[in-house]
Amino acid sequence: MIELEGVPELIDPVMVAAFEGWNDAGDAASTAVAHLEREWKGEVFAALDAEDYYDFQVNRPTVWMDAGVRKITWPTTRLSVVRVGGEKPRDLVLVRGIEPSMRWRSFCNELLGFAHELGVELVVVLGALLGDTPHTRPVPISGTTSDPDLARRMDLEETKYEGPTGIVGVLQEACTHAGVPAVSLWAAVPHYVSQPPNPKATLALLNRLEDLIDVRIPLGELPEDARAWQVGVDQLAAEDSEVAEYVQTLEEARDTAELPEASGEAIAREFERYLRRRDGGPADGDTGPGTPPYRWEGHGERTRPPKPPKPSGEDDGASGDRPSED
């Protein structure tokens, strides 16, 4: 039995989790949860025992000084709670850690024990993968679930992935077997600029999470960081003709495909988010109610009309080095 002292009764709680490692290209997913902790001042109430799940030769502890005293921080997974205010307040249970080295089933069972004790109604796991996607276009976000009913209700894809998986896939499957509704949100990160951070991918994950759980997320400096990131990558690409040509090839592949970002549902989501921010006033880091979400900015205007979609079954160039299994 897990006893949670000092944690109040939660309101419509949702668990949002992300793990550093194989499931976290560009650190986009773990940075998203860290952003939620920082913006809403989350208080850590529990940490899993590092001895149970981590190989310290793979994920080494770090030594630091505190007022002249040496201390050690062990790699682990921590849980915190934040309350989202507004007309319909709700609580988020934030889970942030490192993909465990061992005993994954016990790891998931322990997290599900916390979810059960806290009355969690939905688990959302964030991930990021490397893909053949250009940095100049909106970040592709895929939402998947193993629950057909949940897929229909929340406009998600029912996962059909087969192959190697990470802790994101294992945790989602554990939730399914435990009867806990679970969703995975995946951001595609350009494989040619995979080093962290990637604030544009982090921003896209938070925007999709905002739509999914119907809360307004303060973005802080993320929109400006995303713009600066794209400008920086633009400059680097312009200095290398081969990279610039490759990026153009990826752009053409994206522009000729039937993109989810260009669908009526996606446009409606963007407009609803704009109205939400306008009615509620500018969030931290917003420039004002007249500023549209960043994913509509900074991509430039097309100088030619888009080409027709490729025939069904033809590769659209959007496949990634690491498949989205969830």
Side-chain angles (χ1 to χ4, degrees):
M1 174 68 73
I2 297 175
E3 297 182 1
L4 302 175
E5 297 181 359
V7 179
E9 184 175 351
L10 303 184
I11 302 173
D12 300 330
V14 173
M15 178 176 281
V16 181
F19 304 94
E20 299 174 20
W22 194 76
N23 311 273
D24 193 24
D27 290 354
S30 58
T31 302
V33 174
H35 175 87
L36 297 176
E37 285 183 329
R38 182 173 59 253
E39 291 295 326
W40 279 318
K41 298 177 174 56
E43 294 289 337
V44 174
F45 67 87
L48 276 60
D49 190 340
E51 293 277 352
D52 291 339
Y53 304 115
Y54 294 98
D55 180 346
F56 298 139
Q57 291 183 324
V58 176
N59 297 292
R60 292 185 178 273
T62 57
V63 177
W64 56 287
M65 301 296 293
D66 181 17
V69 179
R70 290 169 61 87
K71 294 187 176 181
I72 294 179
T73 299
W74 296 91
T76 189
T77 295
R78 295 177 173 84
L79 292 84
S80 60
V81 172
V82 299
R83 174 150 296 175
V84 183
E87 295 182 0
K88 296 187 298 181
R90 79 180 315 169
D91 293 306
L92 301 184
V93 179
L94 304 180
V95 179
R96 182 161 65 102
I98 305 169
E99 183 176 66
S101 306
M102 61 194 83
R103 304 182 67 225
W104 284 18
R105 285 177 290 187
S106 297
F107 179 87
C108 293
N109 287 337
E110 190 164 353
L111 289 180
L112 284 171
F114 282 109
H116 174 73
E117 288 297 311
L118 294 168
V120 167
E121 300 176 348
L122 174 70
V123 174
V124 181
V125 192
L126 306 183
L129 53 90
L130 298 179
D132 294 330
T133 181
H135 72 278
T136 53
R137 296 295 187 263
V139 176
I141 301 292
S142 59
T144 63
T145 180
S146 298
D147 186 333
D149 294 332
L150 195 63
R152 285 191 295 270
R153 293 200 313 269
M154 306 188 80
D155 189 25
L156 302 167
E157 298 176 18
E158 188 178 352
T159 179
K160 302 295 183 182
Y161 173 79
E162 295 179 324
T165 189
I167 193 61
V168 171
V170 174
L171 178 57
Q172 181 171 352
E173 196 64 18
C175 290
T176 299
H177 287 299
V180 179
V183 172
S184 295
L185 299 181
W186 288 89
V189 171
H191 66 83
Y192 58 89
V193 57
S194 60
Q195 66 272 21
N198 189 318
K200 186 174 180 179
T202 295
L203 179 62
L205 279 170
L206 291 175
N207 281 338
R208 186 67 180 91
L209 177 65
E210 185 179 68
D211 295 334
L212 186 72
I213 63 177
D214 193 25
V215 299
R216 184 180 174 219
I217 297 174
L219 299 178
E221 298 179 355
L222 263 179
E224 182 59 34
D225 291 343
R227 284 188 283 267
W229 178 86
Q230 180 162 323
V231 169
V233 179
D234 285 342
Q235 293 172 346
L236 290 174
E239 296 171 359
D240 189 318
S241 59
E242 291 186 359
V243 173
E245 183 178 354
Y246 179 65
V247 171
Q248 183 178 3
T249 300
L250 293 179
E251 290 174 339
E252 291 174 352
R254 284 289 302 273
D255 291 345
T256 56
E258 293 183 352
L259 300 179
E261 291 81 3
S263 69
E265 292 83 357
I267 293 172
R269 283 197 300 267
E270 290 289 357
F271 186 63
E272 288 172 0
R273 184 183 300 117
Y274 162 71
L275 292 178
R276 218 166 29 232
R277 295 191 180 281
R278 184 194 66 179
D279 295 341
D284 295 340
D286 288 353
T287 57
T291 303
Y294 168 64
R295 70 164 66 176
W296 279 18
E297 299 175 1
H299 305 299
E301 296 180 358
R302 287 179 177 152
T303 58
R304 57 188 175 187
K307 298 176 183 178
K310 291 183 179 181
S312 176
E314 188 172 342
D315 183 11
D316 63 1
S319 60
D321 291 344
R322 183 186 310 157
S324 168
E325 70 270 10
D326 312 289

